[in-house]
Short mmCIF file of all heavy atoms in Angstrom, two decimals:
data_model
loop_
_atom_site.label_atom_id
_atom_site.label_comp_id
_atom_site.label_asym_id
_atom_site.label_seq_id
_atom_site.Cartn_x
_atom_site.Cartn_y
_atom_site.Cartn_z
N ASN A 216 -31.00 -8.42 4.12
CA ASN A 216 -29.69 -8.94 4.46
C ASN A 216 -28.82 -7.93 5.18
O ASN A 216 -27.77 -8.30 5.73
CB ASN A 216 -28.97 -9.43 3.18
CG ASN A 216 -29.60 -10.68 2.61
OD1 ASN A 216 -30.19 -11.49 3.34
ND2 ASN A 216 -29.50 -10.83 1.29
N TRP A 217 -29.24 -6.67 5.17
CA TRP A 217 -28.55 -5.64 5.95
C TRP A 217 -29.19 -5.44 7.32
O TRP A 217 -28.70 -4.61 8.10
CB TRP A 217 -28.55 -4.32 5.19
CG TRP A 217 -27.50 -4.25 4.11
CD1 TRP A 217 -26.77 -5.31 3.63
CD2 TRP A 217 -27.11 -3.12 3.36
NE1 TRP A 217 -25.92 -4.89 2.64
CE2 TRP A 217 -26.10 -3.55 2.45
CE3 TRP A 217 -27.48 -1.78 3.38
CZ2 TRP A 217 -25.50 -2.68 1.57
CZ3 TRP A 217 -26.86 -0.91 2.48
CH2 TRP A 217 -25.89 -1.34 1.59
N LYS A 218 -30.27 -6.16 7.60
CA LYS A 218 -31.00 -5.99 8.88
C LYS A 218 -31.28 -7.34 9.51
O LYS A 218 -32.37 -7.59 10.00
CB LYS A 218 -32.31 -5.24 8.62
CG LYS A 218 -32.13 -3.85 8.00
CD LYS A 218 -33.42 -3.10 7.78
CE LYS A 218 -34.24 -3.76 6.66
NZ LYS A 218 -35.48 -3.04 6.36
N LEU A 219 -30.31 -8.24 9.47
CA LEU A 219 -30.48 -9.57 10.01
C LEU A 219 -30.67 -9.54 11.53
O LEU A 219 -30.05 -8.72 12.22
CB LEU A 219 -29.29 -10.45 9.64
CG LEU A 219 -29.06 -10.66 8.13
CD1 LEU A 219 -27.77 -11.43 7.91
CD2 LEU A 219 -30.21 -11.43 7.53
N THR A 220 -31.50 -10.44 12.02
CA THR A 220 -31.72 -10.54 13.45
C THR A 220 -31.38 -11.98 13.93
O THR A 220 -31.00 -12.84 13.12
CB THR A 220 -33.21 -10.27 13.77
OG1 THR A 220 -34.04 -11.24 13.11
CG2 THR A 220 -33.58 -8.87 13.28
N GLU A 221 -31.52 -12.19 15.21
CA GLU A 221 -31.21 -13.52 15.75
C GLU A 221 -32.13 -14.58 15.19
O GLU A 221 -31.73 -15.74 15.03
CB GLU A 221 -31.29 -13.47 17.28
CG GLU A 221 -30.25 -12.56 17.92
CD GLU A 221 -30.34 -12.58 19.46
OE1 GLU A 221 -31.21 -13.33 19.95
OE2 GLU A 221 -29.56 -11.89 20.10
N GLU A 222 -33.37 -14.20 14.86
CA GLU A 222 -34.31 -15.18 14.29
C GLU A 222 -33.81 -15.67 12.92
O GLU A 222 -34.01 -16.85 12.60
CB GLU A 222 -35.67 -14.52 14.13
CG GLU A 222 -36.32 -14.14 15.46
CD GLU A 222 -37.70 -13.51 15.24
OE1 GLU A 222 -38.09 -13.36 14.05
OE2 GLU A 222 -38.35 -13.17 16.24
N ASP A 223 -33.15 -14.82 12.16
CA ASP A 223 -32.64 -15.24 10.86
C ASP A 223 -31.54 -16.28 11.01
O ASP A 223 -31.44 -17.22 10.23
CB ASP A 223 -32.09 -14.04 10.10
CG ASP A 223 -33.18 -13.05 9.76
OD1 ASP A 223 -34.12 -13.42 9.03
OD2 ASP A 223 -33.09 -11.90 10.24
N TYR A 224 -30.72 -16.13 12.06
CA TYR A 224 -29.69 -17.12 12.29
C TYR A 224 -30.28 -18.49 12.66
O TYR A 224 -29.86 -19.53 12.20
CB TYR A 224 -28.75 -16.69 13.43
CG TYR A 224 -27.92 -15.46 13.09
CD1 TYR A 224 -28.06 -14.29 13.80
CD2 TYR A 224 -26.97 -15.50 12.06
CE1 TYR A 224 -27.31 -13.16 13.51
CE2 TYR A 224 -26.23 -14.39 11.76
CZ TYR A 224 -26.40 -13.23 12.48
OH TYR A 224 -25.64 -12.14 12.19
N VAL A 225 -31.35 -18.44 13.48
CA VAL A 225 -32.00 -19.69 13.89
C VAL A 225 -32.65 -20.38 12.70
O VAL A 225 -32.56 -21.58 12.47
CB VAL A 225 -33.01 -19.44 15.02
CG1 VAL A 225 -33.75 -20.69 15.36
CG2 VAL A 225 -32.31 -18.85 16.23
N LYS A 226 -33.35 -19.58 11.84
CA LYS A 226 -33.99 -20.15 10.68
C LYS A 226 -32.97 -20.71 9.69
O LYS A 226 -33.26 -21.65 8.94
CB LYS A 226 -34.79 -19.05 9.98
CG LYS A 226 -36.03 -18.60 10.76
CD LYS A 226 -36.78 -17.53 10.01
CE LYS A 226 -38.01 -17.04 10.78
NZ LYS A 226 -38.70 -15.97 10.07
N ALA A 227 -31.76 -20.17 9.67
CA ALA A 227 -30.72 -20.64 8.77
C ALA A 227 -30.06 -21.92 9.27
O ALA A 227 -29.16 -22.44 8.64
CB ALA A 227 -29.67 -19.56 8.56
N GLY A 228 -30.52 -22.44 10.41
CA GLY A 228 -29.93 -23.67 10.93
C GLY A 228 -28.70 -23.49 11.73
O GLY A 228 -27.90 -24.42 11.86
N LEU A 229 -28.48 -22.28 12.25
CA LEU A 229 -27.28 -22.01 13.06
C LEU A 229 -27.53 -22.24 14.53
O LEU A 229 -26.70 -21.82 15.34
CB LEU A 229 -26.79 -20.59 12.79
CG LEU A 229 -26.38 -20.29 11.34
CD1 LEU A 229 -26.01 -18.84 11.17
CD2 LEU A 229 -25.22 -21.17 10.94
N ASN A 230 -28.68 -22.85 14.88
CA ASN A 230 -29.00 -23.18 16.25
C ASN A 230 -29.09 -21.93 17.14
O ASN A 230 -29.48 -20.86 16.71
CB ASN A 230 -28.01 -24.20 16.82
CG ASN A 230 -28.01 -25.47 15.98
OD1 ASN A 230 -29.06 -25.93 15.53
ND2 ASN A 230 -26.81 -26.05 15.80
N ASP A 231 -28.68 -22.09 18.37
CA ASP A 231 -28.79 -20.99 19.34
C ASP A 231 -27.80 -19.88 19.00
O ASP A 231 -26.63 -20.14 18.73
CB ASP A 231 -28.48 -21.55 20.75
CG ASP A 231 -28.71 -20.48 21.80
OD1 ASP A 231 -29.37 -19.48 21.48
OD2 ASP A 231 -28.21 -20.66 22.92
N THR A 232 -28.27 -18.65 18.98
CA THR A 232 -27.41 -17.51 18.63
C THR A 232 -26.29 -17.30 19.61
O THR A 232 -25.31 -16.64 19.29
CB THR A 232 -28.23 -16.22 18.51
OG1 THR A 232 -28.93 -16.03 19.78
CG2 THR A 232 -29.26 -16.33 17.42
#
Side-chain angles (χ1 to χ4, degrees):
N216 290 331
W217 281 10
K218 301 180 291 184
L219 298 174
T220 62
E221 295 182 1
E222 295 180 359
D223 296 299
Y224 293 117
V225 176
K226 292 179 181 179
L229 298 175
N230 300 323
D231 186 16
T232 56

